[in-house]
């Protein structure tokens, strides 16, 4: 399992510990094809919509895990999940020598929410039923978005590197196996690579099997938490460009458009919308 560190984390002393303990690499200019990506939770909480969409879409593909680490801002983690961060009133009681037990005295955050899942065997939940780690999968074949309250960068784990590696691998196993693909930027049927904003529109066209933008906006409005935040004027600008690139036809997404979307990290969202449509 390859482990990568978000740029801000890599530049921090916490990241230097993780880099040494896990042989983690600093994230490059592009997101990796597979593996685990670690970043500070409050950096994701403070990021813009586009950056959040890129990261959550990336970890929707199998073989990919996005793991958020403390510190966090108190409150919601992501709009798409019911996870919220609070502070512990009492110290959790360790049950053994697993990573969560070793870090129980240092864990100050508490993760609330019912979306996704937690693995009791891995120590994601303590004996008082409080949760320190939770993970979510867009669908059964997708990768993993996870948040942990455990300070995995603690020097307490200096002599427990094997345990840390085992804990992280156990979480990453829920992400399945990575599949090789070119990525959206490599599909250039039109005049320019597809950007996240255009891919979000394509997800809606494909998932709801329509070519009508009004249908998209009505469907997004009907969702309790809209999957994408789309602007009508911007969509009106993007649709002609997608048609010119061969990604759209009169019925909606063309065969080339489906192929481009399937090759991108956004494909899992289209599958999820189709499943909702058929249920």
């Amino acid at each position: 399992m390859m482990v990568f560190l978000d740029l801000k984390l890599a530049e921090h002393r916490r990241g230097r510990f993780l880099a040494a303990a896990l042989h983690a690499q600093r994230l490059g200019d592009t997101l990796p094809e597979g593996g685990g990506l670690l970043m500070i939770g409050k950096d994701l909480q403070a990021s813009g919509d586009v950056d959040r969409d890129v990261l959550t879409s990336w970890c929707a593909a199998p073989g990919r895990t996005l793991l958020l680490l403390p510190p966090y801002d108190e409150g919601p983690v992501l709009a798409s999940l019911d996870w919220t961060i609070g502070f512990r009133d009492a110290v959790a009681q360790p049950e053994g020598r697993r990573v969560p037990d070793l870090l129980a005295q240092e864990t100050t955050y508490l993760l609330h929410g019912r979306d996704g899942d937690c693995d009791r065997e891995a120590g994601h939940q303590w004996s008082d039923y409080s949760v320190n780690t939770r993970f979510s999968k867009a669908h059964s074949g997708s990768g993993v978005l996870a948040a942990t309250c455990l300070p995995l960068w603690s020097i307490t784990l200096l002599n427990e590197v094997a345990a840390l590696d085992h804990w992280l691998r156990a979480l990453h196993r829920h992400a399945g196996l990575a599949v090789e693909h070119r990525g959206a930027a490599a599909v250039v049927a039109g005049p320019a690579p597809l950007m996240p904003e255009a891919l979000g529109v394509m997800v809606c066209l494909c998932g709801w099997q329509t070519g009508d933008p009004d249908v998209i906006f009505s469907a997004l409005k009907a969702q309790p938490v809209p999957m994408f935040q789309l602007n009508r004027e911007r969509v009106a600008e993007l649709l002609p460009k997608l048609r010119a690139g061969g990604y759209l036809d009169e019925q909606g997404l063309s065969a080339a458009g489906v192929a481009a979307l399937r090759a991108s990290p956004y494909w899992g969202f289209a599958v999820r919308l189709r499943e909702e449509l058929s249920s």
Side-chain angles (χ1 to χ4, degrees), residues 148-228:
T148 184
C149 299
L150 303 173
L152 299 182
W153 31 261
S154 170
I155 59 172
T156 298
L157 300 180
L158 188 62
N159 296 319
E160 301 289 348
V161 171
L164 174 58
D165 182 73
H166 176 78
W167 184 90
L168 194 58
R169 287 178 181 274
L171 177 63
H172 185 61
R173 276 197 291 272
H174 294 287
L177 298 176
V179 293
E180 185 178 352
H181 58 76
R182 292 175 292 165
V187 183
V188 193
L194 291 170
M195 301 307 290
E197 193 175 26
L199 285 165
V201 175
M202 292 169 65
V203 165
C204 296
L205 292 169
C206 182
W208 283 311
Q209 300 178 8
T210 182
D212 187 346
D214 288 335
V215 173
I216 290 176
F217 284 103
S218 295
L220 286 173
K221 187 176 181 180
Q223 288 186 314
V225 178
M227 182 174 288
F228 294 100

Side-chain angles (χ1 to χ4, degrees), residues 1 35-36 59-66 135-137 139-145 169-179:
M1 172 189 175
C59 67
R64 299 172 177 177
T65 297
L66 174 62
F135 63 90
S136 175
K137 292 166 64 72
H139 55 84
S140 59
S142 76
V144 164
L145 169 62
R169 287 178 181 274
L171 177 63
H172 185 61
R173 276 197 291 272
H174 294 287
L177 298 176
V179 293

